[in-house]
Amino acid sequence: MTARVQSVLNEVEYIVGYKTYIDLIRSFITHQQIVATGMRQEIDRCREAIRLAAEGHRVAVVSSGDAGVYGMAGIIIECLEQENLLDLPLEIIPGVTAASAAASMLGAPLMHDFAVVSLSDLLTPWEVIEKRVRLAAEGDFIFALYNPKSNGRPHHIETVREIVLRYRRPDTPVGLVREALRGEESSVEITTLDDFTNHPIDMLTTVIIGNSQTRIVGPYMVTPRGYKL
């Protein structure tokens, strides 16, 4: 946790967030009042945070990773717009998104152009996601896949594998990082494009698929930047 984040948490009166994320910062909570909600209640959280802020309270909205990457920053601004409260002071504190966290545990797989794609089709039609995967695969982008597999959509990750195999070698390195940088809960595995869906993957896993130049260097997964050594 950065010094700025800790400073903000110490200053606020309310902390608003998803229950799981509140639990992750529980040790930093002292005097603040907590407003915690479950999954898929992002709009409710934003509206409650804005209501409290409009009353004059100092409020922190907790988001995982980086609030500006699949996080809460965008919906907060949209709700402020809807409530005609864009003049309310707002600070967005950057964090470490899962792609960066996972990459740091694998070595250096994101040293060239990469595409971050969420496989969750709750807010984006699957047809759109599939098209983005195909175009990024054709363009030889490295992939960082978020929300790769859930009980409700167990086959999307297999479809992605089949699409990417049209453009890349079966032995292309793939990194699987679960709960990146979350201490003892974290796990790291390096496998191949041909085989990676045979390994455990869930919503807490970040999948990094290398491009045509990605290789294994000792224990590391590395995509060369292009320097002449």
Side-chain angles (χ1 to χ4, degrees):
M1 180 178 291
T2 67
R4 181 55 187 150
V5 171
Q6 195 159 358
S7 173
V8 167
L9 291 179
N10 289 335
E11 295 169 2
V12 300
E13 301 166 67
Y14 289 87
I15 297 176
V16 180
Y18 173 44
K19 293 174 182 177
T20 299
Y21 302 153
I22 293 291
D23 289 340
L24 289 174
I25 63 166
R26 188 70 64 179
S27 61
F28 298 95
I29 297 173
T30 54
H31 62 281
Q32 306 90 337
Q33 296 189 57
I34 304 302
V35 179
T37 61
M39 287 186 67
R40 304 186 188 182
Q41 297 181 38
E42 292 86 355
I43 295 175
D44 292 340
R45 289 200 292 275
C46 288
R47 286 177 174 160
E48 180 62 11
I50 289 169
R51 183 188 69 79
L52 291 167
E55 290 178 356
H57 300 289
R58 296 178 65 87
V59 183
V61 177
V62 177
S63 182
S64 68
D66 187 313
V69 182
Y70 299 123
M72 297 294 291
I75 191 171
I76 283 282
I77 293 172
E78 289 182 284
C79 286
L80 285 170
E81 178 188 35
Q82 188 178 66
E83 299 291 332
N84 198 28
L85 289 172
L86 286 169
D87 57 339
L88 272 180
L90 172 67
E91 179 182 4
I92 300 169
I93 302 174
V96 180
T97 190
S100 298
S104 73
M105 300 185 73
L106 289 165
L110 303 181
M111 293 302 295
H112 220 298
D113 302 334
F114 64 94
V116 179
V117 181
S118 171
L119 300 192
S120 172
D121 57 6
L122 289 175
L123 300 174
T124 306
W126 174 245
E127 294 75 16
V128 173
I129 297 170
E130 194 171 0
K131 179 180 179 181
R132 290 172 178 170
V133 169
R134 177 175 53 79
L135 293 173
E138 184 178 359
D140 200 30
F141 284 82
I142 306 154
F143 281 96
L145 302 179
Y146 287 38
N147 307 312
K149 187 176 182 180
S150 69
N151 292 332
R153 45 180 177 78
H155 305 300
H156 285 359
I157 190 67
E158 192 63 50
T159 301
V160 167
R161 172 186 165 276
E162 292 170 0
I163 292 171
V164 180
L165 273 171
R166 299 174 196 163
Y167 302 94
R168 294 195 197 157
R169 304 182 319 272
D171 63 349
T172 299
V174 173
L176 306 175
V177 182
R178 191 173 190 278
E179 298 204 61
L181 299 184
R182 290 189 181 175
E184 295 180 359
E185 301 299 320
S186 299
S187 65
V188 181
E189 192 168 8
I190 297 177
T191 179
T192 64
L193 181 59
D194 191 46
D195 183 60
F196 82 95
T197 53
N198 292 322
H199 297 256
I201 296 173
D202 62 15
M203 289 287 284
L204 298 176
T205 305
T206 304
V207 179
I208 296 186
I209 302 175
N211 69 6
S212 62
Q213 303 302 308
T214 304
R215 60 195 184 97
I216 302 302
V217 180
Y220 306 113
M221 180 176 169
V222 178
T223 302
R225 183 70 181 89
Y227 297 108
K228 302 298 182 184
L229 300 178

